Amino acid sequence: MHAHVSTFQLLGVPVLALGAAVWIVCVGRILRRRRFEDAVRRRGTLLGALPHQRQTGPDLESVELTPAERDAFAGLVRQFGDRPY
């Protein structure tokens, strides 16, 4: 320790360095949070032209088959059912 340097001068440099490090960390977090919030906000507007997804599944659809169509379908089932896998 130098004789002509006071204790406050010796503590000043580490305190200023610590304050600068804390300030850099805080500013980095603020900028990162702002960038994340902007990305979340932009995500909703990028695909604004597409319709929103439904919360429920589609309604069940059914078609009444004619007897000829039922017979043809039964023939296909028998044909494909005979094949080994």
Side-chain angles (χ1 to χ4, degrees), residues 57-78:
D59 298 331
L60 292 177
E61 297 179 8
S62 63
V63 177
E64 199 61 39
L65 297 177
T66 64
E69 290 172 334
R70 249 185 265 126
D71 291 339
F73 183 72
L76 283 174
V77 170
R78 279 192 302 274

Side-chain angles (χ1 to χ4, degrees), residues 32-43:
R32 189 178 318 130
R33 185 180 308 141
R34 180 179 291 167
R35 185 174 40 194
F36 175 74
E37 290 171 357
D38 288 344
V40 168
R41 200 172 334 152
R42 275 183 286 166
R43 188 181 315 168

